[in-house]
Short mmCIF file of all heavy atoms in Angstrom, two decimals:
data_model
loop_
_atom_site.label_atom_id
_atom_site.label_comp_id
_atom_site.label_asym_id
_atom_site.label_seq_id
_atom_site.Cartn_x
_atom_site.Cartn_y
_atom_site.Cartn_z
N THR A 1 -10.19 22.33 -8.33
CA THR A 1 -10.18 23.66 -8.92
C THR A 1 -9.08 24.44 -8.26
O THR A 1 -8.57 24.04 -7.18
CB THR A 1 -11.52 24.39 -8.76
OG1 THR A 1 -11.77 24.53 -7.40
CG2 THR A 1 -12.60 23.58 -9.44
N SER A 2 -8.73 25.56 -8.80
CA SER A 2 -7.61 26.34 -8.20
C SER A 2 -7.95 26.80 -6.72
O SER A 2 -7.08 26.80 -5.92
CB SER A 2 -7.37 27.65 -9.01
OG SER A 2 -8.57 28.39 -9.14
N GLU A 3 -9.24 26.96 -6.40
CA GLU A 3 -9.58 27.30 -5.04
C GLU A 3 -9.51 26.08 -4.13
O GLU A 3 -9.03 26.19 -3.00
CB GLU A 3 -11.04 27.87 -5.04
CG GLU A 3 -11.47 28.45 -3.70
CD GLU A 3 -10.55 29.57 -3.25
OE1 GLU A 3 -10.15 30.43 -4.13
OE2 GLU A 3 -10.29 29.68 -2.02
N LYS A 4 -9.98 24.95 -4.61
CA LYS A 4 -10.06 23.77 -3.76
C LYS A 4 -8.68 23.16 -3.57
O LYS A 4 -8.41 22.49 -2.54
CB LYS A 4 -11.04 22.73 -4.32
CG LYS A 4 -12.43 23.17 -4.22
CD LYS A 4 -13.36 22.09 -4.68
CE LYS A 4 -14.83 22.51 -4.57
NZ LYS A 4 -15.75 21.50 -5.01
N ILE A 5 -7.78 23.28 -4.53
CA ILE A 5 -6.47 22.61 -4.44
C ILE A 5 -5.67 23.22 -3.31
O ILE A 5 -4.76 22.56 -2.74
CB ILE A 5 -5.71 22.71 -5.72
CG1 ILE A 5 -4.62 21.66 -5.79
CG2 ILE A 5 -5.10 24.05 -6.00
CD1 ILE A 5 -4.15 21.29 -7.17
N LYS A 6 -5.93 24.49 -2.91
CA LYS A 6 -5.22 25.11 -1.80
C LYS A 6 -5.45 24.38 -0.48
O LYS A 6 -4.65 24.36 0.41
CB LYS A 6 -5.59 26.58 -1.68
CG LYS A 6 -5.18 27.39 -2.87
CD LYS A 6 -5.70 28.86 -2.69
CE LYS A 6 -5.49 29.59 -3.99
NZ LYS A 6 -6.09 30.90 -3.94
N ASN A 7 -6.67 23.75 -0.35
CA ASN A 7 -7.05 23.12 0.87
C ASN A 7 -6.68 21.63 0.94
O ASN A 7 -6.85 21.01 1.97
CB ASN A 7 -8.59 23.29 1.07
CG ASN A 7 -9.02 24.71 1.15
OD1 ASN A 7 -8.30 25.53 1.71
ND2 ASN A 7 -10.13 25.01 0.65
N LEU A 8 -6.25 21.09 -0.19
CA LEU A 8 -5.82 19.71 -0.17
C LEU A 8 -4.53 19.45 0.60
O LEU A 8 -3.64 20.26 0.51
CB LEU A 8 -5.65 19.16 -1.64
CG LEU A 8 -6.88 19.03 -2.47
CD1 LEU A 8 -6.51 18.64 -3.84
CD2 LEU A 8 -7.85 18.08 -1.93
N LYS A 9 -4.51 18.39 1.36
CA LYS A 9 -3.32 18.03 2.10
C LYS A 9 -2.76 16.68 1.54
O LYS A 9 -3.52 15.76 1.45
CB LYS A 9 -3.61 17.87 3.58
CG LYS A 9 -3.95 19.25 4.18
CD LYS A 9 -4.09 19.12 5.69
CE LYS A 9 -4.43 20.53 6.24
NZ LYS A 9 -5.10 20.45 7.47
N PRO A 10 -1.51 16.66 1.21
CA PRO A 10 -0.92 15.39 0.71
C PRO A 10 -0.81 14.40 1.83
O PRO A 10 -0.78 14.71 3.02
CB PRO A 10 0.46 15.82 0.21
CG PRO A 10 0.80 16.98 1.04
CD PRO A 10 -0.50 17.72 1.31
N VAL A 11 -0.68 13.13 1.43
CA VAL A 11 -0.36 12.05 2.40
C VAL A 11 1.03 12.37 2.93
O VAL A 11 1.93 12.71 2.17
CB VAL A 11 -0.43 10.68 1.72
CG1 VAL A 11 0.09 9.61 2.60
CG2 VAL A 11 -1.84 10.37 1.30
N ASN A 12 1.15 12.26 4.24
CA ASN A 12 2.44 12.56 4.84
C ASN A 12 3.42 11.38 4.71
O ASN A 12 3.30 10.42 5.44
CB ASN A 12 2.21 12.84 6.35
CG ASN A 12 3.52 13.20 7.08
OD1 ASN A 12 4.55 13.27 6.48
ND2 ASN A 12 3.39 13.42 8.37
N MET A 13 4.30 11.52 3.73
CA MET A 13 5.27 10.41 3.46
C MET A 13 6.35 10.32 4.48
O MET A 13 7.20 9.43 4.44
CB MET A 13 5.79 10.55 2.04
CG MET A 13 4.69 10.35 1.00
SD MET A 13 5.28 10.48 -0.68
CE MET A 13 6.24 9.00 -0.85
N GLU A 14 6.41 11.23 5.39
CA GLU A 14 7.39 11.21 6.50
C GLU A 14 6.75 10.76 7.82
O GLU A 14 7.44 10.56 8.82
CB GLU A 14 8.05 12.55 6.68
CG GLU A 14 8.85 13.03 5.49
CD GLU A 14 9.98 12.10 5.10
OE1 GLU A 14 10.67 11.58 6.05
OE2 GLU A 14 10.19 11.87 3.92
N GLY A 15 5.43 10.56 7.78
CA GLY A 15 4.68 10.21 9.01
C GLY A 15 4.80 8.72 9.32
O GLY A 15 5.18 7.91 8.43
N TRP A 16 4.41 8.36 10.51
CA TRP A 16 4.57 6.99 10.92
C TRP A 16 3.64 6.03 10.20
O TRP A 16 3.97 4.87 9.95
CB TRP A 16 4.36 6.87 12.43
CG TRP A 16 2.96 7.10 12.92
CD1 TRP A 16 2.39 8.28 13.29
CD2 TRP A 16 1.98 6.11 13.10
NE1 TRP A 16 1.13 8.09 13.65
CE2 TRP A 16 0.79 6.75 13.53
CE3 TRP A 16 1.88 4.73 12.87
CZ2 TRP A 16 -0.39 6.12 13.79
CZ3 TRP A 16 0.70 4.05 13.09
CH2 TRP A 16 -0.43 4.76 13.58
N LYS A 17 2.44 6.48 9.82
CA LYS A 17 1.50 5.62 9.08
C LYS A 17 2.03 5.22 7.74
O LYS A 17 1.94 4.03 7.35
CB LYS A 17 0.14 6.34 8.89
CG LYS A 17 -0.65 6.52 10.13
CD LYS A 17 -1.94 7.22 9.87
CE LYS A 17 -2.65 7.57 11.13
NZ LYS A 17 -3.88 8.35 10.87
N TYR A 18 2.59 6.17 6.98
CA TYR A 18 3.16 5.83 5.67
C TYR A 18 4.36 4.92 5.85
O TYR A 18 4.52 3.95 5.07
CB TYR A 18 3.50 7.10 4.85
CG TYR A 18 4.20 6.73 3.60
CD1 TYR A 18 3.40 6.29 2.49
CD2 TYR A 18 5.55 6.76 3.46
CE1 TYR A 18 4.04 5.92 1.31
CE2 TYR A 18 6.19 6.38 2.30
CZ TYR A 18 5.44 6.01 1.27
OH TYR A 18 6.06 5.61 0.01
N LYS A 19 5.22 5.26 6.73
CA LYS A 19 6.44 4.48 6.97
C LYS A 19 6.10 3.05 7.38
O LYS A 19 6.69 2.03 6.90
CB LYS A 19 7.35 5.09 8.00
CG LYS A 19 8.05 6.34 7.46
CD LYS A 19 8.95 6.93 8.45
CE LYS A 19 9.69 8.14 7.84
NZ LYS A 19 10.65 8.80 8.77
N LEU A 20 5.08 2.90 8.24
CA LEU A 20 4.63 1.56 8.63
C LEU A 20 4.06 0.76 7.43
O LEU A 20 4.43 -0.35 7.19
CB LEU A 20 3.56 1.65 9.73
CG LEU A 20 2.96 0.36 10.17
CD1 LEU A 20 4.00 -0.57 10.78
CD2 LEU A 20 1.81 0.52 11.16
N TYR A 21 3.24 1.49 6.60
CA TYR A 21 2.71 0.84 5.42
C TYR A 21 3.79 0.38 4.51
O TYR A 21 3.75 -0.77 4.05
CB TYR A 21 1.81 1.87 4.66
CG TYR A 21 1.48 1.40 3.27
CD1 TYR A 21 0.46 0.44 3.03
CD2 TYR A 21 2.20 1.80 2.16
CE1 TYR A 21 0.19 -0.01 1.78
CE2 TYR A 21 1.96 1.33 0.89
CZ TYR A 21 0.95 0.44 0.73
OH TYR A 21 0.70 -0.09 -0.55
N SER A 22 4.75 1.24 4.20
CA SER A 22 5.84 0.87 3.24
C SER A 22 6.64 -0.38 3.74
O SER A 22 7.03 -1.21 2.96
CB SER A 22 6.69 2.02 2.88
OG SER A 22 7.38 2.49 4.08
N ARG A 23 6.86 -0.36 5.01
CA ARG A 23 7.60 -1.51 5.58
C ARG A 23 6.78 -2.81 5.61
O ARG A 23 7.29 -3.90 5.25
CB ARG A 23 8.09 -1.20 6.97
CG ARG A 23 9.37 -0.32 6.89
CD ARG A 23 9.46 0.70 8.02
NE ARG A 23 10.65 1.52 7.83
CZ ARG A 23 10.71 2.60 7.06
NH1 ARG A 23 9.75 2.97 6.29
NH2 ARG A 23 11.81 3.33 6.98
N VAL A 24 5.50 -2.70 5.93
CA VAL A 24 4.65 -3.88 5.95
C VAL A 24 4.49 -4.44 4.56
O VAL A 24 4.55 -5.64 4.34
CB VAL A 24 3.31 -3.54 6.60
CG1 VAL A 24 2.20 -4.63 6.31
CG2 VAL A 24 3.42 -3.29 8.09
N ILE A 25 4.30 -3.55 3.57
CA ILE A 25 4.07 -4.00 2.17
C ILE A 25 5.31 -4.71 1.63
O ILE A 25 5.18 -5.73 0.94
CB ILE A 25 3.58 -2.84 1.27
CG1 ILE A 25 2.80 -3.35 0.13
CG2 ILE A 25 4.74 -2.06 0.76
CD1 ILE A 25 1.42 -3.77 0.43
N VAL A 26 6.51 -4.28 2.00
CA VAL A 26 7.73 -4.95 1.58
C VAL A 26 7.96 -6.24 2.33
O VAL A 26 8.23 -7.31 1.75
CB VAL A 26 8.96 -4.01 1.72
CG1 VAL A 26 10.22 -4.78 1.46
CG2 VAL A 26 8.83 -2.84 0.74
N LYS A 27 7.78 -6.23 3.61
CA LYS A 27 7.99 -7.41 4.43
C LYS A 27 6.98 -8.50 4.23
O LYS A 27 7.31 -9.70 4.40
CB LYS A 27 8.04 -7.06 5.97
CG LYS A 27 9.08 -6.06 6.31
CD LYS A 27 10.42 -6.67 6.50
CE LYS A 27 11.38 -5.65 7.06
NZ LYS A 27 12.71 -5.82 6.58
N SER A 28 5.76 -8.15 3.87
CA SER A 28 4.69 -9.14 3.69
C SER A 28 4.66 -9.76 2.31
O SER A 28 3.80 -10.57 1.95
CB SER A 28 3.31 -8.52 3.97
OG SER A 28 3.00 -7.50 2.96
N TYR A 29 5.68 -9.42 1.49
CA TYR A 29 5.73 -9.98 0.12
C TYR A 29 5.55 -11.48 0.05
O TYR A 29 4.73 -11.95 -0.77
CB TYR A 29 6.99 -9.51 -0.59
CG TYR A 29 7.21 -10.26 -1.86
CD1 TYR A 29 6.44 -9.91 -3.05
CD2 TYR A 29 8.12 -11.26 -2.01
CE1 TYR A 29 6.62 -10.58 -4.17
CE2 TYR A 29 8.25 -12.00 -3.16
CZ TYR A 29 7.50 -11.64 -4.29
OH TYR A 29 7.65 -12.31 -5.48
N PRO A 30 6.25 -12.30 0.83
CA PRO A 30 6.10 -13.73 0.64
C PRO A 30 4.66 -14.19 0.89
O PRO A 30 4.18 -15.09 0.13
CB PRO A 30 7.01 -14.34 1.77
CG PRO A 30 8.06 -13.26 2.01
CD PRO A 30 7.31 -11.97 1.82
N ILE A 31 3.98 -13.56 1.83
CA ILE A 31 2.57 -13.96 2.10
C ILE A 31 1.71 -13.53 0.92
O ILE A 31 0.85 -14.27 0.45
CB ILE A 31 2.09 -13.33 3.39
CG1 ILE A 31 2.88 -13.89 4.58
CG2 ILE A 31 0.60 -13.50 3.61
CD1 ILE A 31 2.73 -13.12 5.84
N ARG A 32 1.93 -12.27 0.45
CA ARG A 32 1.08 -11.78 -0.65
C ARG A 32 1.38 -12.62 -1.94
O ARG A 32 0.44 -12.89 -2.72
CB ARG A 32 1.40 -10.33 -0.94
CG ARG A 32 0.88 -9.43 0.19
CD ARG A 32 1.13 -7.94 -0.05
NE ARG A 32 2.56 -7.56 -0.15
CZ ARG A 32 3.15 -7.23 -1.27
NH1 ARG A 32 2.45 -7.14 -2.40
NH2 ARG A 32 4.46 -6.92 -1.24
N PHE A 33 2.63 -13.02 -2.17
CA PHE A 33 2.98 -13.83 -3.30
C PHE A 33 2.25 -15.20 -3.26
O PHE A 33 1.64 -15.61 -4.22
CB PHE A 33 4.48 -14.02 -3.35
CG PHE A 33 4.95 -14.94 -4.51
CD1 PHE A 33 5.04 -14.40 -5.76
CD2 PHE A 33 5.26 -16.24 -4.27
CE1 PHE A 33 5.45 -15.20 -6.84
CE2 PHE A 33 5.64 -17.09 -5.30
CZ PHE A 33 5.75 -16.55 -6.61
N LEU A 34 2.27 -15.83 -2.09
CA LEU A 34 1.61 -17.10 -1.90
C LEU A 34 0.11 -16.95 -2.12
O LEU A 34 -0.47 -17.76 -2.80
CB LEU A 34 1.92 -17.64 -0.52
CG LEU A 34 1.31 -19.02 -0.19
CD1 LEU A 34 1.84 -20.07 -1.10
CD2 LEU A 34 1.57 -19.36 1.27
N TRP A 35 -0.45 -15.88 -1.58
CA TRP A 35 -1.90 -15.64 -1.71
C TRP A 35 -2.28 -15.50 -3.23
O TRP A 35 -3.28 -16.05 -3.66
CB TRP A 35 -2.37 -14.44 -0.94
CG TRP A 35 -3.76 -14.02 -1.24
CD1 TRP A 35 -4.10 -12.83 -1.85
CD2 TRP A 35 -4.93 -14.76 -1.04
NE1 TRP A 35 -5.48 -12.78 -1.96
CE2 TRP A 35 -6.03 -13.96 -1.49
CE3 TRP A 35 -5.22 -16.00 -0.50
CZ2 TRP A 35 -7.34 -14.39 -1.45
CZ3 TRP A 35 -6.59 -16.40 -0.45
CH2 TRP A 35 -7.60 -15.60 -0.88
N LYS A 36 -1.47 -14.74 -3.96
CA LYS A 36 -1.79 -14.56 -5.43
C LYS A 36 -1.68 -15.92 -6.20
O LYS A 36 -2.45 -16.12 -7.06
CB LYS A 36 -0.79 -13.56 -6.03
CG LYS A 36 -1.16 -12.13 -5.63
CD LYS A 36 -0.22 -11.13 -6.34
CE LYS A 36 -0.61 -9.73 -5.97
NZ LYS A 36 -0.85 -8.87 -7.10
N LYS A 37 -0.69 -16.73 -5.79
CA LYS A 37 -0.54 -18.06 -6.48
C LYS A 37 -1.74 -18.93 -6.16
O LYS A 37 -2.29 -19.60 -7.04
CB LYS A 37 0.78 -18.72 -6.07
CG LYS A 37 1.98 -18.02 -6.64
CD LYS A 37 2.00 -18.17 -8.17
CE LYS A 37 3.23 -17.52 -8.72
NZ LYS A 37 3.21 -17.50 -10.19
N VAL A 38 -2.13 -18.98 -4.89
CA VAL A 38 -3.27 -19.80 -4.48
C VAL A 38 -4.55 -19.32 -5.20
O VAL A 38 -5.31 -20.11 -5.72
CB VAL A 38 -3.46 -19.75 -2.94
CG1 VAL A 38 -4.83 -20.32 -2.53
CG2 VAL A 38 -2.29 -20.49 -2.29
N ARG A 39 -4.75 -18.04 -5.22
CA ARG A 39 -5.90 -17.46 -5.92
C ARG A 39 -5.93 -17.82 -7.36
O ARG A 39 -6.98 -18.15 -7.93
CB ARG A 39 -5.97 -15.91 -5.72
CG ARG A 39 -7.20 -15.43 -5.13
CD ARG A 39 -7.22 -13.95 -4.89
NE ARG A 39 -7.06 -13.24 -6.13
CZ ARG A 39 -6.55 -12.01 -6.22
NH1 ARG A 39 -6.24 -11.36 -5.13
NH2 ARG A 39 -6.43 -11.39 -7.39
N HIS A 40 -4.77 -17.73 -8.00
CA HIS A 40 -4.63 -18.07 -9.40
C HIS A 40 -5.00 -19.52 -9.64
O HIS A 40 -5.77 -19.85 -10.56
CB HIS A 40 -3.23 -17.79 -9.90
CG HIS A 40 -2.98 -18.18 -11.34
ND1 HIS A 40 -3.49 -17.48 -12.39
CD2 HIS A 40 -2.30 -19.14 -11.85
CE1 HIS A 40 -3.15 -18.07 -13.46
NE2 HIS A 40 -2.38 -19.10 -13.21
N CYS A 41 -4.47 -20.43 -8.84
CA CYS A 41 -4.75 -21.85 -8.97
C CYS A 41 -6.23 -22.14 -8.77
O CYS A 41 -6.86 -22.93 -9.47
CB CYS A 41 -3.93 -22.69 -7.98
SG CYS A 41 -2.19 -22.70 -8.41
N LEU A 42 -6.83 -21.55 -7.72
CA LEU A 42 -8.25 -21.76 -7.47
C LEU A 42 -9.10 -21.26 -8.62
O LEU A 42 -10.12 -21.86 -8.98
CB LEU A 42 -8.66 -21.02 -6.13
CG LEU A 42 -8.14 -21.65 -4.87
CD1 LEU A 42 -8.49 -20.79 -3.70
CD2 LEU A 42 -8.61 -23.06 -4.67
N GLY A 43 -8.69 -20.13 -9.24
CA GLY A 43 -9.38 -19.62 -10.43
C GLY A 43 -9.34 -20.56 -11.57
O GLY A 43 -10.32 -20.82 -12.28
N LYS A 44 -8.17 -21.18 -11.77
CA LYS A 44 -7.99 -22.20 -12.84
C LYS A 44 -8.92 -23.40 -12.61
O LYS A 44 -9.60 -23.91 -13.56
CB LYS A 44 -6.55 -22.67 -12.95
CG LYS A 44 -5.67 -21.66 -13.64
CD LYS A 44 -4.25 -22.11 -13.66
CE LYS A 44 -3.98 -23.01 -14.84
NZ LYS A 44 -2.54 -23.31 -15.00
#
């Protein structure tokens, strides 16, 4: 609501937690890709 939105705080996209997340998610792509393929094959 208009009252509650004043108290909301956005995720800090300049903070170390977000920067670490974005780098880990990009660097871990090969592992995540392999995991998705294995999961898909096991499902089949």
Side-chain angles (χ1 to χ4, degrees):
T1 62
S2 58
E3 189 60 37
K4 289 184 180 182
I5 202 162
K6 294 175 189 173
N7 299 325
L8 290 177
K9 292 186 179 157
V11 170
N12 181 3
M13 293 181 71
E14 297 299 320
W16 70 270
K17 289 179 186 177
Y18 175 79
K19 287 183 178 182
L20 177 64
Y21 166 81
S22 62
R23 280 144 182 84
V24 166
I25 206 76
V26 170
K27 300 280 188 213
S28 67
Y29 169 75
I31 296 166
R32 291 182 298 109
F33 178 79
L34 181 62
W35 170 245
K36 284 184 180 233
K37 290 294 182 188
V38 167
R39 235 178 60 204
H40 176 73
C41 289
L42 291 174
K44 284 176 84 172

